Amino acid sequence: MNARQKRLFEEARKRNPNLKVPSEPAAPSADLTDEDFALIKQGVGDKTPRTGGGLAGAAPGAEAEPAAPLTGTVVKYFAEKGFGFIRPEDGGKDVFFHVTRLVEGFPDDLVPMVRVSYDLDYDRTGKLQATNLRILKA
């Protein structure tokens, strides 16, 4: 304890004579367990983007040739936030996209009913998203 802390402690002890000096907390162990090593091996906490080469249905780390780009139409786009949703032409759930994944075209062109082509991939949290977004000419 520094001098100020000691003075404050002495003043507090006058009000409460049973007050004891706090002990230093035990330092956490620096030894890693097998569970810790397993998490490190899995890359837990790694925030780098994971690229699967457009392999939405493939297991992570699987080697295969990239799938053909999918097509769909923009359903909603929130320009101020930079994200939106695409409705696939072959049906299914709407797919999230972020403007940073736009590789051909301009963000101003992302309006509802615009046709786009895209690949599916996982974001850094493991959720499915559209990547390699291209605005298709009418």
Side-chain angles (χ1 to χ4, degrees), residues 112-126:
M113 301 309 294
V114 167
R115 289 189 68 235
V116 293
S117 71
Y118 60 94
D119 296 326
L120 286 177
D121 207 346
Y122 295 100
D123 66 5
R124 65 181 180 206
T125 62

Side-chain angles (χ1 to χ4, degrees), residues 25 28 32 45 51 58-59 67 74-75 78 86 95 111 115 125 138:
L32 296 175
T51 57
V74 174
V75 178
F78 303 97
I86 299 169
V95 179
V111 294
R115 289 189 68 235
T125 62

Side-chain angles (χ1 to χ4, degrees), residues 4 9 19 21 32 34 36 39 57 61 64 89 108 115 126-127 138:
R4 181 174 182 270
F9 179 74
L19 192 64
V21 176
L32 296 175
D34 289 339
D36 296 331
L39 291 174
E89 285 185 352
D108 296 339
R115 289 189 68 235
K127 295 179 184 174

